[in-house]
Amino acid sequence: MGEQDSRGETEFDVVVVGSGVAALFGAAVAASRGMATCLVEKTERFGGTSAYSGGAVWLPGNRVLARDGVEDSVQTGRTYFRAVVGDRTDPDLQDAYLNTGPMVVDHLLDTLGIPMRFQAFPDYFDAPGRQQTGRSIYPKPITVDEVGERVGDIRASVPSDQFGAPEHPTRVEGGRAWVARLVLALDAMEAAELRLSTAAQRLLRDDGGRVVGVEVRDASGSRSIGARRGVLVAAGGFERSMDLRRRWQRMPTAAWSASHPDTGTGDAVRMFDQVGARLDLLDQSWWCPATLFPNGHAAFTLGVRSGIIVDGTGRRFANELLPYDQMGRRMHARMDDGAGEEFWLVFDDAEAGGYPAICVPGPDPDQHRQAGLWHTAGSIAELAEAIGVDEVVLGESVARYNSFAARGKDEDFGRGEDPYGRFFLGASTPEECLRPLEGERFHAVRLVLGDLGTKGGAVTDHDGAVLDTDGAPIPGLYAAGNSSASVSGEAYPGPGVPLGSGMTMAFRAVADMAGDTLAVDPGALAH
């Protein structure tokens, strides 16, 4: 636990800011090494945006994959990662992420005792080294009884947390399972202290410029928490800051992000800016299509099974079965090209009028119709009038798509040709992904450009140390997760890269604080 310094303030070896998976894992690694560790979370619940995630972790060549029958290696993962990301980020940083991944999994299994499993989910790009069934691992679900009294401290699921749906779970899954298991692991360590409703205000530095702690604010006021070894900032991004989104990302609102409104407000970026940190990738997010809801929030949407997506002009502009970040980027490009901020998923009654996409929670037809977000009509022309697009343009878009469906080949965008696109439909051929829009009723549901968080922040070296504007490490300061500039640059290589890279850099940051040098060289898996 922490000690009192000469001024009566609490002092620890390590202070961690944030409580997403990267932050919790970093704190658990530090405490398991015997380092007195304090984690501060500004909201009343642990989990950040990580709690909303599916829980995928992308760490090539780890032993869970080998145990579950997936043939993979660090080198194969590196071949793929390099092909997708290129040189947008430091190759040493990329190597540090990829080579350390198996060590992260070993620590989770052997030191923290967290059970994991492989689950199929394809990598997102057709590039050398790709795994068509994916290489992502997930935490095994945990029952509510196992979590015990901590259940109320774990961020609720998206339907409950943002849309007011009742929640009576018997078990905790996905990203919430990571959060619950890591919180329980920390609770069992004498060296760890967790503080909710404690907001980091600014980083504290000594006369030599070293970061030596954090000023925080809780219910009793402001106080300082000292850090003898270092401060790890893993407090999310700035997706909920309207000012920063407009400034760096040309977004009309911050309300469409998948994160909780109280998280991802840019605290980390502001603290880094105050100490002269170098920032990068501020124009980047983990983009996705999102279904707009009457309360103004938007829900992450993927796995379109039928229908087409059109922009505000009524034109189809992309393969609807693209991986969500790539589809989001196409939407952003259309917005930049002047097509407007409105997008529509247009579909027919093939699923009895149900929503032909994965969206949690699913839109309620009656509530969405009342809010003008779901329109139903007896013809494409009537539907065009209802959603305010040119009926000729929308009619031509539907007719052209239907002609492709009849021939079994999408000549404009290649829908169904990639294994990722076929995955959610359980399809084996492109033809199975191309079904014409037909029948007596047609629907349109409003989509917007959403995100799973921003991915720009502090530039770090291969040990997670934050660099200043001259490229030198700021002593005592580290970053991980969405508070840092992502190692994946402007790409989203596969499911679990955000959590996997965040956990890995937190692991390396703690090792550096402890004076333990980890290898970076390709193929080196030990230190």
Side-chain angles (χ1 to χ4, degrees):
M1 289 294 188
E3 300 174 356
Q4 297 289 312
D5 65 12
S6 59
R7 296 160 299 181
E9 300 288 358
T10 309
E11 191 172 50
F12 294 80
D13 291 319
V14 177
V15 175
V16 178
V17 181
S19 74
V21 169
L24 289 167
F25 181 64
V29 172
S32 68
R33 283 175 170 263
M35 300 162 74
T37 304
C38 180
L39 179 145
V40 297
E41 161 58 39
K42 71 175 181 179
T43 71
E44 74 287 353
R45 290 188 173 188
F46 298 112
T49 301
S50 298
Y52 287 168
S53 77
V57 170
W58 199 89
L59 300 170
N62 68 73
R63 85 184 211 232
V64 170
L65 294 175
R67 182 202 67 199
D68 291 356
V70 180
E71 293 187 11
D72 194 28
S73 68
V74 170
Q75 186 55 49
T76 303
R78 182 182 356 266
T79 297
Y80 174 75
F81 198 84
R82 284 274 205 275
V84 171
V85 177
D87 60 1
R88 180 60 179 86
T89 58
D90 185 349
D92 277 353
L93 181 64
Q94 295 180 26
D95 285 336
Y97 165 38
L98 296 163
N99 294 337
T100 310
M103 298 168 63
V104 167
V105 173
D106 289 346
H107 193 89
L108 287 163
L109 290 170
D110 299 336
T111 303
L112 302 181
I114 295 179
M116 292 165 282
R117 64 186 179 188
F118 164 73
Q119 186 174 319
F121 199 148
D123 285 337
Y124 295 160
F125 287 87
D126 181 10
R130 182 191 202 180
Q131 289 277 16
Q132 291 194 6
T133 58
R135 45 168 56 98
S136 299
I137 59 175
Y138 297 75
K140 289 187 177 179
I142 183 171
T143 68
V144 168
D145 288 342
E146 289 178 275
V147 181
E149 62 183 14
R150 275 298 200 184
V151 167
D153 292 333
I154 308 302
R155 186 158 298 288
S157 67
V158 172
S160 173
D161 215 27
Q162 293 206 41
F163 299 97
E167 186 167 53
H168 305 289
T170 58
R171 65 179 191 171
V172 177
E173 302 176 292
R176 297 179 68 232
W178 278 124
V179 174
R181 289 187 179 279
L182 288 167
V183 167
L184 292 178
L186 284 159
D187 283 345
M189 300 180 193
E190 291 186 4
E193 183 175 317
L194 307 180
R195 301 185 185 182
L196 290 169
S197 301
T198 304
Q201 302 288 296
R202 64 184 181 95
L203 298 166
L204 303 175
R205 306 178 80 177
D206 64 15
D207 292 340
R210 180 182 180 84
V211 172
V212 293
V214 182
E215 182 182 290
V216 302
R217 186 172 187 84
D218 58 21
S220 60
S222 297
R223 65 190 66 251
S224 298
I225 303 177
R228 291 182 287 266
R229 300 291 188 95
V231 173
L232 171 62
V233 179
F238 57 89
E239 60 274 1
R240 285 293 183 171
S241 168
M242 188 63 262
D243 175 60
L244 299 182
R245 293 303 294 273
R246 283 178 175 159
R247 176 179 172 188
W248 287 320
Q249 300 198 337
R250 308 179 308 282
M251 284 294 288
T253 179
W256 299 339
S257 176
S259 75
H260 188 279
D262 294 336
T263 65
T265 54
D267 302 335
V269 169
R270 293 186 184 94
M271 287 192 292
F272 291 142
D273 198 39
Q274 290 168 1
V275 297
R278 179 185 171 194
L279 304 175
D280 193 18
L281 296 172
L282 299 176
D283 61 337
Q284 299 294 308
S285 287
W286 308 97
W287 301 107
C288 66
T291 302
L292 189 60
F293 276 67
N295 66 356
H297 292 240
F300 173 37
T301 302
L302 75 166
V304 173
R305 297 184 294 276
S306 63
I308 62 173
I309 296 176
V310 300
D311 61 23
T313 71
R315 290 176 173 83
R316 184 171 177 246
F317 59 95
N319 167 13
E320 292 83 359
L321 306 188
L322 279 172
Y324 46 89
D325 179 72
Q326 295 174 46
M327 185 63 180
R329 290 174 183 276
R330 304 296 195 282
M331 295 170 74
H332 203 306
R334 293 302 295 140
M335 291 166 63
D336 284 346
D337 288 344
E341 301 161 8
E342 291 192 1
F343 299 88
W344 298 91
L345 175 54
V346 177
F347 55 101
D348 58 22
D349 263 351
E351 299 191 16
Y355 199 46
I358 299 172
C359 178
V360 180
D364 179 276
D366 291 336
Q367 293 181 5
H368 274 66
R369 285 191 181 102
Q370 292 175 11
L373 302 174
W374 184 317
H375 298 272
T376 299
S379 69
I380 293 297
E382 291 176 9
L383 190 67
E385 182 179 2
I387 64 176
V389 302
D390 188 298
E391 67 178 71
V392 173
V393 173
L394 183 61
E396 290 175 346
S397 296
V398 172
R400 184 171 177 80
Y401 170 76
N402 282 351
S403 71
F404 295 153
R407 296 196 294 272
K409 183 176 178 60
D410 179 1
E411 296 176 6
D412 284 343
F413 304 111
R415 175 164 161 168
E417 294 177 9
D418 187 84
Y420 178 90
R422 299 194 294 269
F423 176 76
F424 293 99
L425 284 79
S428 56
T429 65
E431 291 85 350
E432 297 172 74
C433 303
L434 294 166
R435 194 189 55 70
L437 278 75
E438 55 191 5
E440 299 180 354
R441 291 202 314 170
F442 299 93
H443 310 271
V445 171
R446 173 78 186 281
L447 300 181
V448 295
L449 173 60
D451 63 74
L452 306 178
T454 53
K455 61 186 303 189
V459 176
T460 67
D461 68 9
H462 57 259
D463 286 321
V466 173
L467 304 180
D468 64 19
T469 52
D470 293 324
I474 297 175
L477 182 59
Y478 301 81
N482 286 354
S483 292
S484 63
S486 174
V487 64
S488 71
E490 298 176 6
Y492 196 157
V497 168
L499 294 189
S501 59
M503 295 169 81
T504 301
M505 298 318 297
F507 184 88
R508 294 189 66 92
V510 171
D512 196 59
M513 292 182 207
D516 189 2
T517 302
L518 300 182
V520 177
D521 296 339
L525 299 181
H527 58 277

